[in-house]
C-alpha cells in the first residue's frame, strides 16, 4: 500500500499547530489514506515543541523532528524531505492556511493519473484566497507573471508552498539550493524544466489566525531572483543534462 507523507515546517506556531494537525489527521483518517505527518520544529522559541509532543498521544502518525540548524523555512522543509518515508510527499503550512480537503484531492489526482507532481493554484477557477493582504497579493501576481514569462510556463502560482511530489521526483530535484521561502519556487520550476509530469488543481488559502508570518518580502526578493536566474541558466545552458531519466 502506498503511503503519503506530509512535511510541515513549524516555527513559533503554538497558536495554530494543534488545530492544523488535528484537522489534517481527521481528514486523512476519514479518507482512509495511509500516511505519516512529519513536522519539523525549526527551533521554536515558544511552546510549539511541547504541544507537538502532547499531540503524539492522539495522532499516532505524527513524527517530530527538530532542525538543529541552520534554521529557516527552506532549511526546515529540506530537513523533512531528507527524512520522510512515504512514496509521495506534500508540503503544507502549520498555520491553517492550507485545506486538508485539497490535500486529499491532490493525492487522488496523483494516484489516478500516475503523475510526478501536483501543484496548487489559488488563482484559477475554483481557487480562493481569504484575507489576503492587498500588498502581498499585488507582489504575488507580479512575481508569478514574471516567472511565467521568463521560464515560459502556463503555471501561474509557483510561489504557492502547497504542492505534492513523488519520492523519486524529490530525488531528481536535488541538490536543493534554497534556504528560505524561495524553496517554494525552486521545487516546481526544477520539476517542470526537468520534464517531470504534473497537473494543477485549484486550492484555497486562508490567512493565519494566530502568530506572525515569517515571510519578509524585503529580504526575499533577491533570494527569489537568485533561484529564478538559476532556473533560466539550467533551462537554456545545461543542454538537458538534468532532464528526468
Amino acid at each position: 500500500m502506498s503511503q503519503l507523507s506530509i512535511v510541515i515546517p513549524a516555527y513559533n506556531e503554538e497558536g495554530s499547530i494543534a488545530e492544523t494537525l488535528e484537522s489534517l489527521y481527521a481528514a486523512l483518517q476519514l479518507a482512509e489514506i495511509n500516511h505519516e505527518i512529519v513536522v519539523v520544529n525549526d527551533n521554536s522559541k515558544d511552546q510549539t515543541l511541547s504541544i507537538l509532543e502532547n499531540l503524539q498521544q492522539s495522532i499516532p502518525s505524527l513524527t517530530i523532528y527538530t532542525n538543529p540548524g541552520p534554521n529557516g523555512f527552506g532549511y526546515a522543509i529540506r530537513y523533512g524531505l531528507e527524512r520522510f518515508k512515504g512514496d509521495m510527499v506534500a508540503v503544507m503550512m502549520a498555520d491553517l492556511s492550507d485545506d486538508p480537503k485539497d490535500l486529499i484531492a491532490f493525492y487522488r489526482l496523483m494516484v489516478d493519473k500516475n503523475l510526478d507532481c501536483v501543484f496548487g493554484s489559488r488563482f484559477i477557477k475554483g481557487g480562493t484566497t481569504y484575507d489576503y493582504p492587498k500588498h502581498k497579493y499585488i507582489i504575488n501576481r507580479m512575481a508569478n507573471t514574471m516567472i511565467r514569462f521568463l521560464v515560459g510556463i502556463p503555471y501561474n502560482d509557483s510561489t504557492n508552498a502547497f504542492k505534492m511530489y513523488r519520492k523519486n521526483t524529490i530525488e531528481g530535484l536535488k541538490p536543493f539550493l534554497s534556504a528560505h521561502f524561495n524553496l517554494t519556487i525552486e521545487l516546481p520550476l526544477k520539476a517542470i524544466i526537468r520534464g517531470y509530469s504534473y497537473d494543477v488543481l485549484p486550492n484555497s488559502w486562508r490567512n493565519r489566525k494566530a502568530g506572525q508570518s515569517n515571510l519578509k518580502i524585503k529580504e526575499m526578493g533577491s533570494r527569489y531572483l537568485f533561484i529564478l536566474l538559476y532556473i533560466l541558466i539550467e533551462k537554456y545552458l545545461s543542454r538537458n543534462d538534468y532532464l528526468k531519466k
Side-chain angles (χ1 to χ4, degrees), residues 44-200:
S44 297
K45 303 301 188 291
D46 61 2
Q47 297 302 307
T48 296
L49 181 57
S50 62
I51 293 171
L52 287 169
E53 291 170 343
N54 289 333
L55 284 169
Q56 283 187 307
Q57 300 175 30
S58 57
I59 303 178
S61 57
L62 174 59
T63 299
I64 305 165
Y65 294 107
T66 291
N67 175 23
N71 298 118
F73 179 84
Y75 282 127
I77 292 176
R78 287 164 55 179
Y79 198 87
L81 292 180
E82 292 292 343
R83 291 163 175 79
F84 76 93
K85 299 175 183 176
D87 307 286
M88 293 154 274
V89 61
V91 175
M92 294 185 72
M93 303 296 279
D95 59 5
L96 292 169
S97 60
D98 300 319
D99 191 332
K101 293 179 182 177
D102 293 331
L103 174 73
I104 292 164
F106 280 30
Y107 172 80
R108 288 175 174 161
L109 181 65
M110 177 170 277
V111 172
D112 290 346
K113 290 191 173 183
N114 195 29
L115 295 166
D116 295 318
C117 320
V118 177
F119 303 146
S121 176
R122 299 160 289 185
F123 308 107
I124 59 175
K125 185 178 181 180
T128 54
T129 61
Y130 300 93
D131 193 25
Y132 203 128
K134 188 174 182 179
H135 70 287
K136 288 188 176 182
Y137 175 85
I138 293 171
I139 293 171
N140 177 293
R141 301 324 301 142
M142 291 174 61
N144 276 284
T145 298
M146 181 175 70
I147 290 169
R148 289 177 64 192
F149 175 75
L150 292 176
V151 184
I153 58 173
Y155 181 43
N156 71 347
D157 199 9
S158 297
T159 56
N160 186 351
F162 187 26
K163 302 180 178 81
M164 185 178 292
Y165 305 87
R166 287 196 182 272
K167 186 169 189 175
N168 62 350
T169 304
I170 290 294
E171 292 302 314
L173 303 182
K174 293 178 179 178
F176 302 133
L177 306 175
S178 302
H180 300 283
F181 282 85
N182 47 343
L183 188 68
T184 61
I185 67 168
E186 179 182 351
L187 296 179
L189 294 181
K190 275 185 176 178
I192 292 170
I193 68 170
R194 293 183 183 184
Y196 289 90
S197 63
Y198 74 96
D199 206 342
V200 180

Side-chain angles (χ1 to χ4, degrees), residues 8-14 17 39-46 48 71-73 76 94 208 212 214:
I8 301 174
Y11 176 72
N12 291 351
E13 294 289 358
E14 63 182 7
I17 193 67
V39 178
V40 180
N41 168 44
D42 201 32
N43 269 320
S44 297
K45 303 301 188 291
D46 61 2
T48 296
N71 298 118
F73 179 84
R208 62 168 57 244
Q212 293 183 338
N214 298 311

